[in-house]
Amino acid sequence: MSKSKPEVGIVMGSDSDWPVVQNAVKTLEEFGLASEVRVISAHRTPALACDYASTASKRGLKIIIAAAGGAAHLGGVLAAHTILPVIGIPVKGGALNGMDALLATLQMPSGIPVATVTLGSAGPVNAAVLAAQILATGRPALARRLVSYKKKLQKKVARGNETVQKALET
Ligand code: RP5
């Protein structure tokens, strides 16, 4: 992890979410963004969740990413206690395979947004990319990294198209 001061706080409801969440940390590192990572549960440690979000801005954080599964109230509880942008990652698993987490993270009441990313492997990556995009305003070096990242995605699609065209020719 980068040694610079964390700008992104990543919170997960349980250490069982770590296999998903670690991909958000890795993606932020690709953009040179430092994060701090905590396990805090909206249900099992509610006072800690409140304290974390209430002090986040004062501690220098600019964005919070919250990952949780099941009755996933973590993003919403954190968003209730800060005006920092909160990005929610619904974590797959359990009896409803993540649909519960998706809706619980997404369906926030008016005035308390949680920017919810997709279930599955794209979720932690998109949470990190969205955080980088929010932070890139007025930061040309970070903006350049994002442009280069998107160009790599475009090249991948172009290569994929070539592969399919070749397969059709044979
Ligand atoms: C949620 O419940 C956590 O975010 C996790 O996704 C899920 C299961 O937690 P454990 O029972 O594995 O601790 O609060």
Side-chain angles (χ1 to χ4, degrees), residues 32 96-97 99 104 131 142:
L96 302 182
N97 205 23
M99 188 54 78
L142 180 54

Side-chain angles (χ1 to χ4, degrees), residues 72-73 76 99-110 112-116:
H73 298 128
M99 188 54 78
D100 43 359
L102 175 64
L103 296 178
T105 306
L106 178 71
Q107 288 296 100
M108 290 297 293
S110 170
I112 315 291
V114 172
T116 306

Side-chain angles (χ1 to χ4, degrees), residues 21-160:
V21 172
Q22 64 181 343
N23 293 315
V25 178
K26 281 183 200 153
T27 306
L28 285 170
E29 283 173 356
E30 281 179 39
F31 295 110
L33 292 170
S35 59
E36 63 172 30
V37 181
R38 300 281 184 276
V39 176
I40 300 173
S41 167
H43 303 119
R44 294 165 175 158
T45 58
L48 191 55
C50 166
D51 182 64
Y52 183 87
S54 308
T55 58
S57 179
K58 264 188 270 172
R59 291 184 297 104
L61 295 179
K62 296 189 178 131
I63 295 189
I64 294 176
I65 293 175
H73 298 128
L74 184 59
V77 166
L78 296 175
H81 292 94
T82 181
I83 58 161
L84 293 178
V86 175
I87 301 171
I89 305 174
V91 177
K92 258 178 127 168
L96 302 182
N97 205 23
M99 188 54 78
D100 43 359
L102 175 64
L103 296 178
T105 306
L106 178 71
Q107 288 296 100
M108 290 297 293
S110 170
I112 315 291
V114 172
T116 306
V117 295
T118 183
L119 278 171
S121 60
V125 174
N126 280 350
V129 172
L130 180 56
Q133 289 180 179
I134 294 168
L135 291 170
T137 308
R139 287 169 64 167
L142 180 54
R144 278 195 297 276
R145 282 185 191 230
L146 280 158
V147 170
S148 150
Y149 176 82
K150 305 277 176 169
K151 278 190 181 148
K152 274 188 211 153
L153 296 181
Q154 287 167 12
K155 282 183 187 155
K156 187 168 177 284
V157 173
R159 282 198 304 274

